[in-house]
């Protein structure tokens, strides 16, 4: 049961269409045995061979005689774990015309039986080691690569050897049995159906406009459904043998292990691999044709209205060198100025667009794209186009000012400095992905210190004039190619858009006005508060402090991440203080609270004043409190606390952000309604709470009737009442935490007594069982549908033990749903089961199963779930199945426990409920203690037909409207 406000946050994120952003510069280092390449050359050499950029000395690079490469990096964050990525230098661009979709299909087949691992055993082997399908065991296919990933919970011999054996089997021993291919076709068709969204259809329109005649425009990885349904086994084998070969493979291993040992294991697993056939040819990507100005319009119901102007040219394929990075940085700084200007326009009164930006990117070695784009409300294309075009031209004509340039340099430098200072505690999965990106992008993997050094060398003496010259080529080339994506027709069509663009280009632009310098006005909150009580919570390594004004602080120093401190501040009642019988404008608050700035500074003024500092501020209305959160580094801790205290005591809550969301809201509804999943969350959020409007997504009528003053009144009252609890976790000492809080929250006037919850406000009720599914509707294609079934369970308000047991029951249910609904019957690509338990509302929790399928398959889906839950009630699960369900959950929890984010959440509960300490300590032992008998008992207790709530979501469009 997802919160309506969380859904609103996700749905309202302004969508600005873009293609592929320029990849971050990151790669790997050479082992030093170049002579080993004599036997068999890899499909691409290491980037550093042709570069003058110093590579990260911590990465060990190697190459085997068969041409396979590897990159190994020791990293102990989190401890005892590792991330593996096995990349194949082949994607959908390598497909022949009769293979469209088979690169991606082949990725699926690598999980469906190999020479030494029977079908269905592969995932079970990994689950027994604590890897969850999807989260820890996954793969992906793109235009130019396919990669397989494993997140290992341990780096002992059993886990590592098994993982490497499985990956070797996947890339060299896949059976592709005819019956396995046949059964997987339905899964792929289900994935295509799931991904057939307005966003995907707009991407196709982008590619058609920008790359006509080039291979990339008709090689989306999902492929051609006719080929997916009919391609014979031999065609899979042909692709597999041609492109799954050691010379196209790179193994990446990052984690807490001995590098020598890992290298020996990788060599032992892969050096005997030999290709079966000749190497597949490199595809002809085509050339960028000369282009003049052109306009296209895509009318797509449910899409975010947007416009983009693109300039295209042949791709830059020069090696990754110091000179190349210097030119890239100059362009990046100039584009950062343009992006900031456009952001400030969007946050102004009556803005011409909702949000905008610019970038330059290279699309899989096919073309280089300079782009400016903006999102707008339906019907507002003309002012959006004019502002977009003129801001781009203003940048080219007048460039950036020295003050603007120095601002971007300061922000970039502080981020790089922080990255260098925290390099020893980078997260292993992120490093593995960075190495993978570097290999795929053919760039050098550099250390954070090298990145900082290269940056400083580039900006030393850099002038605005140099940046201004570097930015001009971004907007040269074929074009401008205008693409308007809109859910409604545009009167006059493409001719009207073209005419408006030509007219805008005749409008003179002037240099932007200089911005006034301002000082930070929230440095003094009064006399620092005194500590009244202080005691240690030794069991969790935390200290609790109470100040004389009643503010409470819990601080936990950690070594998980250098230079990171996370802060949470809770006060008020949150949902408990809102009416249950009507929607409240506070549901919009998370979207606009920080956008409204502070009383003495707008959001943009605040950004300018605090240029070059590391801070953040976020706001949420939780079930039982208002919550401010932020993150910083030790040297900016005092500033971070000043910012959060200022948001608590003097929020700006300006009208412009509220009005923007209010006018944008109909688009949110339309976008959510365009897919079965979005429509379900939109309509079911209130139904699953028996009509409680605090949980429901607001209607268009609700929002139309709200004012910013209504919001301001509710939020300021909520923030001004109730105790204040501060939680701090990270690279901080207890004394520094106390000092920072004492000078800010500890200096505030004492609050009154705790707020009283209105009678009944702490109650939330799951809906009654449905004799037949509730019928809900979406506006997308008719072949898309969703089935949902849920059963009420329990809460985790005081004791979390049973809620944890129920969560493992849900994991067992998920295993069986995947096996039956996805693998055996191929009803849905990504069916899911899960459990939720409220920590605010007693008795409120559920287990649910969801699947996106076809309307015709809904009866089969519900029948399958009925059989699955009956089997769980009637027969105890085996110890093996129980372990395959719970071990990945336990290992995931261990990973999270090695992070500041986890402890920020846990200590927030401790701040208001000291008994939560014991609950935190028993999380893993509670799950380890669960028995097969417990699972059967819980299934009998909760998974019953007389409590199940069912729903379907089908299209409201007529059958003839199906694409």
């Amino acid at each position: 049961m997802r919160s309506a406000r969380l859904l609103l946050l996700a749905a309202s994120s302004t969508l600005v269409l873009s293609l592929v952003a320029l990849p971050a510069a990151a790669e790997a280092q050479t082992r030093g045995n170049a002579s080993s390449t004599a036997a068999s050359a890899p499909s691409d050499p290491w980037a550093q061979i042709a570069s003058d950029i110093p590579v990260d000395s911590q990465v060990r690079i190697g190459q085997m005689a068969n041409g396979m490469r590897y990159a190994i990096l020791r990293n102990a964050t989190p401890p005892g774990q590792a991330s593996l990525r096995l990349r194949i230098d082949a994607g959908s661009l390598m497909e022949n015309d009769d293979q469209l979709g088979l690169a991606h299909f082949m990725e699926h087949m690598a999980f469906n039986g190999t020479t030494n691992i029977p079908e269905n055993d592969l995932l079970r082997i990994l689950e027994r080691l604590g890897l969850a399908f999807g989260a820890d065991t996954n793969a992906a296919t793109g235009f130019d690569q396919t990669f397989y990933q494993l997140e290992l919970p341990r780096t002992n011999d059993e886990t590592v050897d098994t993982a490497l054996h499985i990956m070797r089997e996947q890339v060299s021993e896949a059976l592709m049995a005819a019956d396995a291919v046949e059964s997987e076709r339905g899964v792929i068709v289900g994935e295509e159906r799931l991904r057939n969204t307005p966003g995907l259809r707009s991407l196709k329109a982008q590619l058609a406009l920008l790359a006509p005649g080039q291979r990339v425009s008709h090689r989306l990885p999902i492929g051609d459904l006719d080929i997916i349904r009919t391609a014979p086994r031999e065609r899979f084998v042909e692709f597999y043998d041609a492109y799954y070969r050691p010379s196209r493979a790179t193994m990446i291993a990052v984690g807490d292990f001995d590098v020598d040992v890992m290298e020996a294991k990788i060599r032992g697993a892969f050096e005997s691999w030999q290709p079966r056939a000749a190497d597949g040819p490199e595809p002809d990507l085509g050339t960028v044709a000369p282009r003049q100005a052109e306009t296209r319009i895509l009318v797509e119901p449910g899409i975010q209205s947007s416009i983009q102007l693109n300039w295209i040219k042949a791709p830059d394929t020069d090696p990754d060198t110091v000179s190349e990075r210097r030119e890239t940085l100059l362009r990046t700084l100039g584009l950062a100025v343009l992006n900031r200007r456009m952001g400030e326009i969007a946050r102004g009164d009556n803005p011409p667009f909702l949000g905008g930006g610019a970038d330059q990117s290279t699309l899989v070695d096919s073309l280089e794209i300079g782009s400016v784009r903006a999102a707008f409300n339906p019907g507002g294309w003309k002012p959006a186009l004019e502002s977009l075009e003129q801001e781009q031209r203003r940048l080219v004509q007048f460039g950036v000012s020295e003050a603007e340039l120095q601002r971007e340099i300061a922000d970039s430098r502080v981020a790089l400095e922080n990255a260098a200072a925290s390099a020893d505690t980078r997260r292993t999965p992120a490093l593995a992905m960075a190495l993978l990106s570097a290999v795929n992008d053919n760039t050098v993997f550099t250390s954070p210190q090298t990145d900082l050094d290269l940056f400083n060398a580039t900006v030393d003496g850099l002038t605005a004039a140099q940046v201004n010259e570097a930015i001009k080529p971004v907007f040269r080339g074929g074009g401008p190619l205008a693409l308007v994506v809109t859910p409604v027709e545009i009167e006059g069509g493409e001719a009207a858009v073209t005419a408006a663009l030509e007219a805008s280009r005749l409008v003179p632009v002037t240099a932007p006005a200089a911005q006034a310098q301002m000082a930070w006005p929230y440095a003094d909150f009064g006399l620092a508060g005194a500590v009244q009580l202080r005691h240690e919570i030794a069991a969790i390594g935390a200290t609790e402090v109470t100040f004389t004004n009643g503010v409470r602080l819990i601080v936990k120093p950690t070594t998980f991440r250098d230079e990171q401190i996370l802060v949470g501040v809770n006060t008020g009642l949150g949902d408990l203080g809102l009416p249950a019988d009507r929607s409240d404008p506070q549901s919009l608050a998370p979207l606009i609270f920080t956008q409204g700035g502070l009383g003495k500074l707008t959001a943009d003024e605040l950004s300018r004043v605090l240029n070059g500092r590391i801070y953040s501020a976020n706001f949420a209305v939780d079930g039982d409190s208002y919550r401010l959160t932020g993150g910083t580094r030790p040297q900016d801790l005092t500033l971070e606390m000043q910012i959060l205290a200022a948001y608590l005591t003097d929020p700006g809550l300006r009208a412009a952000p509220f009005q923007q969301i209010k006018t944008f809201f109909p688009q949110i509804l339309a976008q959510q309604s365009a897919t079965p999943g979005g429509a379900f969350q939109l309509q079911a959020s209130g139904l699953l709470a028996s009509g409680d409007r605090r949980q429901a997504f607001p209607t268009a009528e609700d929002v139309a009737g709200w004012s910013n003053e209504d919001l301001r009144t509710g939020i300021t009252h909520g923030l001004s009442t109730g105790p204040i609890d501060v939680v701090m976790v990270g690279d901080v000492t207890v004394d520094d935490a106390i000092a920072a809080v004492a000078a800010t929250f500890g200096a505030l006037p004492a609050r009154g007594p705790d707020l009283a919850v209105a009678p009944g406000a702490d109650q939330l009720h799951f809906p009654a069982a449905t004799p037949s599914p509730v019928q809900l509707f979406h506006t997308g294609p008719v072949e898309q549908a969703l089935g949902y079934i849920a059963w009420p369970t329990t809460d985790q308000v005081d004791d979390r033990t049973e809620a944890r047991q129920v969560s493992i029951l849900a994991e067992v249910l998920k295993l069986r749903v995947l096996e039956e609904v996805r693998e055996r019957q191929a009803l849905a690509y990504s069916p899911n089961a899960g459990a939720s338990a409220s920590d605010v509302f007693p008795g409120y929790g559920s287990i649910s199963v969801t699947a996106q399928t076809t309307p015709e398959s809904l009866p089969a889906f519900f029948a399958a779930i009925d059989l699955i839950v009956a089997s769980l009630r009637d027969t105890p699960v085996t110890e093996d199945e129980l372990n395959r369900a719970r071990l990945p959950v336990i290992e995931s929890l261990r990973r999270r426990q090695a992070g500041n984010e986890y402890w920020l959440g846990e200590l927030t509960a401790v701040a208001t409920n000291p008994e939560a300490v014991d609950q935190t300590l028993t999380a893993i032992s509670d799950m380890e203690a669960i028995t097969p008998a417990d699972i059967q008992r819980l299934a009998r207790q909760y998974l019953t037909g007389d409590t199940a709530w069912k729903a379907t979501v089908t299209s409201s469009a007529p059958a003839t409207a199906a694409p």
Side-chain angles (χ1 to χ4, degrees):
M1 289 169 289
R2 190 179 180 192
S3 164
R5 273 188 293 278
L6 291 178
L7 174 62
L8 186 58
L9 262 173
S12 64
S13 298
T14 300
L15 171 63
V16 180
L17 292 175
S18 64
L19 282 168
V20 181
L22 272 177
E27 238 284 12
Q29 176 220 338
T30 314
R31 176 68 170 144
N33 55 345
S35 60
S36 67
T37 64
S40 183
S43 55
D44 288 310
W46 293 107
Q48 58 267 20
I49 293 175
S51 177
D52 56 354
I53 297 174
V55 298
D56 190 336
S57 60
Q58 299 301 310
V59 180
R60 177 176 295 182
I61 294 299
Q63 183 179 309
M64 305 176 205
N66 61 8
M68 182 174 174
R69 302 184 297 173
Y70 55 83
I72 307 172
L73 173 62
R74 185 184 183 279
N75 189 68
T77 307
Q81 298 173 29
S83 295
L84 302 183
R85 303 290 185 270
L86 179 50
R87 176 184 182 269
I88 300 296
D89 185 21
S92 59
L93 288 174
M94 281 69 175
E95 296 165 343
N96 296 328
D97 288 342
D98 64 352
Q99 293 176 325
L100 301 185
L102 295 198
H104 169 248
F105 204 145
M106 187 57 248
E107 168 217 312
H108 281 241
M109 294 311 301
F111 289 89
N112 281 315
T114 67
T115 301
N116 300 296
I117 304 175
E119 186 177 3
N120 298 324
D121 278 10
L122 188 151
L123 292 178
R124 292 175 181 176
I125 292 169
L126 292 171
E127 286 163 354
R128 293 178 187 120
L129 294 174
L131 281 76
F133 177 57
D136 305 316
T137 305
N138 217 325
T141 304
F143 285 113
D144 55 356
Q145 72 169 348
T146 304
F147 70 87
Y148 298 85
Q149 72 176 60
L150 294 177
E151 299 295 342
L152 306 186
R154 289 172 299 281
T155 53
N156 58 12
D157 288 343
E158 178 191 11
T159 303
V160 173
D161 291 345
T162 302
L164 292 175
H165 172 65
I166 285 175
M167 297 184 107
R168 165 64 192 273
E169 288 276 316
Q170 287 181 303
V171 296
S172 71
E173 302 294 331
L175 293 177
M176 292 166 283
D179 58 343
V181 170
E182 202 62 38
S183 64
E184 194 70 15
R185 296 188 201 274
V187 176
I188 304 292
V189 170
E191 182 173 0
E192 191 279 339
R193 184 174 57 245
L194 179 68
R195 301 194 189 286
N196 183 19
T197 62
L200 178 65
R201 296 191 286 275
S202 70
L203 173 60
K204 292 179 180 179
Q206 281 183 300
L207 293 174
L209 173 64
L210 299 179
Q214 290 187 263
R215 198 176 186 90
V216 70
S217 66
H218 51 89
R219 281 296 190 281
L220 282 174
I222 197 61
D224 183 297
L225 281 182
D226 288 337
I227 293 174
I228 289 168
R229 291 187 174 108
T230 62
R233 175 184 182 274
E234 292 71 24
R235 219 174 287 171
F236 290 84
V237 174
E238 177 186 353
F239 185 89
Y240 186 68
D241 287 350
Y243 291 103
Y244 277 63
R245 51 198 307 109
S247 61
R248 288 183 172 272
T250 304
M251 170 61 76
I252 293 165
V254 181
D256 191 5
F257 46 64
D258 182 284
V259 172
D260 291 335
V261 172
M262 180 59 75
E263 181 179 34
K265 288 181 179 294
I266 291 173
R267 284 184 167 272
F270 288 95
E271 63 187 353
S272 63
W273 179 17
Q274 295 297 322
R276 292 195 181 103
D279 195 358
E282 290 298 323
D284 180 0
L285 301 180
T287 57
V288 179
R291 304 288 294 278
Q292 300 300 316
E294 190 175 340
T295 298
R296 297 275 181 86
I297 296 174
L298 172 67
V299 179
E300 178 65 53
I303 195 70
Q304 162 69 61
S305 300
S306 67
I307 188 166
Q308 57 182 268
L309 302 177
N310 304 284
W311 291 260
I312 63 170
K313 58 176 74 72
D316 179 1
T317 57
D318 291 341
D320 181 24
T321 62
V322 172
S323 176
E324 281 287 305
R325 290 204 186 184
R326 182 182 189 280
E327 290 303 310
T328 297
L329 177 58
L330 266 58
R331 291 193 298 268
T332 300
L333 291 170
L335 289 171
V337 171
L338 179 56
N339 286 330
R340 195 182 295 268
R341 289 178 185 176
M342 294 179 70
E344 293 184 358
I345 291 172
R347 288 184 289 272
D349 294 330
N350 301 312
F353 48 71
L354 300 171
D359 64 44
Q360 184 179 47
S361 59
T362 300
L363 180 60
V364 286
D365 289 337
S366 296
L367 69 160
E368 191 169 290
I369 309 158
S371 180
V372 289
R373 61 214 180 276
F376 57 88
N377 281 317
W381 66 268
K382 193 165 185 266
L385 171 62
E386 292 169 345
S387 181
L388 190 67
E389 186 278 327
Q390 290 167 28
E391 285 306 314
Q392 175 269 325
R393 191 154 40 90
R394 192 188 320 276
L395 179 73
V396 172
Q397 185 171 336
F398 294 101
V400 305
S401 69
E402 194 65 37
E404 288 176 312
L405 174 59
Q406 293 307 317
R407 180 180 176 184
E408 302 306 334
I409 288 175
D411 274 356
S412 297
R413 178 182 280 120
V414 73
L416 291 168
E417 288 173 343
N418 198 57
S422 60
D424 290 341
T425 52
R426 290 172 289 175
R427 305 291 290 182
T428 287
L431 279 169
M433 292 307 294
L435 272 164
L436 177 68
S437 296
V439 173
N440 194 54
D441 297 336
N442 202 28
T443 55
V444 180
F445 185 85
T446 46
S447 70
Q449 185 60 51
T450 295
D451 293 337
L452 177 60
D453 293 342
L454 290 173
F455 176 86
N456 283 332
T458 297
V459 300
D460 184 24
L462 183 67
T463 66
Q466 291 171 304
V467 171
N468 295 338
E469 283 304 307
I471 199 67
K472 291 177 182 178
V474 173
F475 305 110
R476 292 176 185 156
L481 306 177
L483 176 64
V484 183
V485 180
T486 170
V488 297
E489 296 282 352
I490 291 179
E491 185 177 354
E494 293 172 354
V497 175
T498 299
L501 178 57
E502 291 174 349
S504 178
R505 295 171 73 178
L506 298 175
V507 175
V509 294
T510 58
Q515 296 170 330
Q517 297 294 315
M518 304 183 71
W520 174 239
Y522 293 99
D524 185 4
F525 289 87
L527 185 66
V531 174
Q532 186 177 58
L533 295 172
R534 171 175 172 167
H535 77 275
E536 308 303 313
I537 312 177
I540 54 175
T543 299
E544 183 175 9
V545 176
T546 302
F547 294 89
T548 52
N549 66 348
V551 169
R552 293 173 298 198
L553 164 69
I554 294 183
V555 55
K556 178 179 173 65
T558 72
T559 57
F560 301 137
R561 179 75 183 268
D562 293 341
E563 298 294 303
Q564 183 192 63
I565 303 172
L566 302 183
V567 184
V569 180
N570 283 42
T571 193
L573 291 177
D575 277 349
L576 292 177
L578 300 181
D581 59 347
R582 66 182 186 278
S583 292
D584 190 281
Q586 292 184 55
S587 61
L588 299 181
L591 308 175
I592 60 181
F593 184 86
T594 56
Q595 293 290 310
L598 298 167
K600 299 175 184 177
L601 295 171
T602 68
D604 294 314
E605 290 169 342
L606 187 150
S607 177
R608 290 197 291 272
V609 168
L610 302 181
N611 181 224
R613 310 291 291 275
I614 291 181
Y615 67 94
S616 65
N618 301 284
F619 178 76
V621 183
D622 286 349
D624 57 357
S625 70
Y626 296 91
R627 181 165 172 79
L628 286 160
T629 55
T632 186
R633 57 179 175 170
Q635 70 190 74
D636 286 328
L637 176 60
T638 298
L639 173 65
E640 177 67 35
M641 301 313 297
Q642 291 172 353
I643 292 167
L644 295 179
Y647 271 116
L648 178 76
T649 58
D650 190 28
L653 294 171
R654 288 173 172 80
F658 177 85
Q659 191 59 41
Q660 186 180 80
I661 289 295
K662 187 172 180 178
T663 57
F664 178 47
F665 197 77
Q667 282 204 81
I668 296 177
L669 299 179
Q671 290 171 46
Q672 289 296 113
S673 298
T675 63
F680 175 77
Q681 300 229 36
L682 189 72
Q683 299 170 58
S685 56
L687 296 175
L688 288 168
S690 297
D692 192 308
R693 296 302 302 276
R694 294 174 296 181
Q695 305 301 309
F697 203 91
T699 67
E701 292 74 20
D702 290 333
V703 176
W706 292 339
S707 71
N708 191 55
E709 285 307 309
D710 296 331
L711 174 66
R712 176 189 293 275
T713 299
I715 291 295
T716 52
H717 173 73
L719 290 177
S720 64
T721 53
I724 298 173
D725 292 303
V726 181
V727 174
M728 194 178 299
V729 180
D731 187 4
V732 64
T733 67
V734 174
D735 288 342
D736 285 347
I738 291 173
V741 175
T744 51
F745 293 94
L748 300 178
R751 298 283 185 109
D754 291 359
L755 298 174
V757 177
D762 60 347
Q763 300 298 307
L764 209 58
H765 303 285
F766 195 82
T770 52
S772 58
V774 174
Q775 295 184 24
L776 307 175
F777 299 95
H778 68 90
T779 60
V782 294
E783 70 269 21
Q784 296 180 347
L786 178 145
Y788 177 88
I789 179 170
W791 302 263
T793 56
T794 188
D795 64 81
Q796 55 176 346
V797 174
D798 295 316
D799 190 342
R800 304 184 208 174
T801 305
E802 183 153 313
R804 288 167 177 162
Q805 294 175 338
V806 169
S807 72
I808 299 303
L809 169 60
E811 292 300 316
V812 174
L813 179 59
K814 182 190 296 183
L815 290 182
R816 297 198 178 184
V817 167
L818 286 169
E819 183 174 340
E820 182 66 28
V821 175
R822 174 186 162 116
E823 299 300 332
R824 186 169 295 140
Q825 297 193 42
L827 298 174
Y829 165 67
S830 185
N832 192 37
S836 66
S838 176
D839 58 1
V840 175
F841 299 102
Y844 192 66
S846 70
I847 287 180
S848 63
V849 181
T850 311
Q852 295 200 36
T853 183
T854 63
E856 297 78 17
S857 298
L858 287 169
F861 163 71
F862 286 117
I865 302 306
D866 287 344
L867 289 175
I868 290 171
V869 298
S871 69
L872 289 172
R873 293 192 302 263
D874 296 343
T875 307
V877 300
T878 65
E879 191 72 28
D880 177 66
E881 186 177 22
L882 175 56
N883 281 330
R884 289 193 294 113
R886 71 174 158 195
L887 287 180
V889 177
I890 290 172
E891 296 303 338
S892 174
L893 177 56
R894 285 200 174 104
R895 265 197 300 271
R896 290 186 289 115
Q897 286 178 337
N900 292 325
E901 293 80 1
Y902 172 83
W903 288 103
L904 185 68
E906 290 298 305
L907 294 180
T908 297
V910 171
T912 56
N913 179 16
E915 294 179 2
V917 171
D918 292 335
Q919 295 290 308
T920 296
L921 295 173
T922 61
I924 290 177
S925 61
D926 282 348
M927 288 185 281
E928 289 176 332
I930 297 170
T931 67
D934 291 327
I935 297 298
Q936 185 178 25
R937 171 182 58 81
L938 293 168
R940 289 174 171 175
Q941 179 179 352
Y942 292 121
L943 301 182
T944 62
D946 59 353
T947 63
W949 189 89
K950 300 179 180 180
T952 62
V953 186
T954 55
S955 178
S956 59
T960 55

